[in-house]
Amino acid sequence: MSVITKPALGSPCWLEIATPDPEATARFYGRLFGWQFDGATATLFGEPVAGVRRAAEAALGWTPYLATPDIDATARQATRYGGRLTDRKGDKAILLDPTGTAVGLCEGDGHHFTAGVPGSLVWAELVTWRATLADRFFGAVFDYGQKQFGDGRRFDHVVWYAGEDSVLARVRMALGTPEDVPARWIAQFAVDPDVGFEATIDLARRLGARLRFKPYRSALGRVAVLADPLGTRFALIDPDDSDESEYGSVIDDPYDD
């Protein structure tokens, strides 16, 4: 993922966290990633990387926004497949998918959004029990190509493509996970190689984050899933420590609650 200026339909074009305490959220991510804040916009070296939105309670995960040339047309298509528009403000909107997870929409030529560098978003995955429904919905609404990288049973991991570009993934919750565990997005942020993976995890924990389980390796890099001090899930990833043989061979499901 790189700086996105004119993304294709369904490509990530913004990232946002809903929080009841924007000041506490800004302090945590500011100290962890070196973000500065201009109102509700987080910046890294002067470039926007994410947004902070006040809400009644902390979200379970971050909300990725996906590009569309026409929010109304996308909303109509989403309605046909069980989704619904829940909020619309200018060129942005929130879409609730049929798995119960919120995803944002951005309209127009795209938003100035920096990703793919240390301290910013590099990947996002939808974690859900209703995996087949999610694949059908997002495939129909955003015209995603889809490819299975897990074995489809013990580890069900599907990557979604906008054209030739991989943009997001869907992970089925592990057998044994309570069925009432809600779906959520896990945003993965690249660690600064000068700081290191373990040191970044240690810093996050000192700042009040909780490590959900032991780190694991994937084809994209070494990953640790954490909950921030208010309970929102996110992940740290070291893209330099990847292992393509690890697709589908994770022993501990990274999203098992």
Side-chain angles (χ1 to χ4, degrees), residues 125-135 146-160 169-175 246-250 253-255:
E125 297 179 341
L126 174 62
V127 187
T128 178
W129 262 117
R130 306 179 73 184
T132 302
L133 179 60
D135 290 340
Q146 301 178 358
K147 183 177 180 180
Q148 173 67 253
F149 281 91
D151 61 13
R153 298 181 299 278
R154 190 174 64 91
F155 187 58
D156 185 2
H157 185 279
V158 171
V159 174
W160 295 338
R170 185 276 298 153
V171 178
R172 186 191 299 269
M173 290 186 187
L175 294 175
E246 292 298 322
Y247 263 133
S249 63
V250 178
D253 189 307
Y255 308 108

Side-chain angles (χ1 to χ4, degrees), residues 9 20 33 56 89 118 153 175 191 202 243 245 247:
L9 174 66
F33 295 130
K89 293 181 180 179
R153 298 181 299 278
L175 294 175
V191 301
D202 289 344
D243 184 351
S245 68
Y247 263 133

Side-chain angles (χ1 to χ4, degrees), residues 14 20 33 37 63 72 85 88 92 101 119 130 135 143 151 182 196 199 205 212-213 220 251:
W14 189 238
F33 295 130
F37 287 83
T63 302
D72 292 330
L85 210 64
R88 173 77 183 268
K92 291 183 180 178
T101 309
R130 306 179 73 184
D135 290 340
D143 196 28
D151 61 13
R205 297 179 74 177
R212 294 297 303 171
F213 70 99
L220 298 177
I251 295 175

Side-chain angles (χ1 to χ4, degrees), residues 32-33 44-45 116-120 122 189-201 236-241:
L32 183 62
F33 295 130
L44 185 64
F45 302 114
V117 300
S120 72
V122 294
F189 299 91
V191 301
D192 185 338
D194 292 333
V195 176
F197 183 75
E198 299 291 349
T200 305
I201 293 174
L236 299 171
I237 182 169
D238 180 2
D240 293 331
D241 191 5

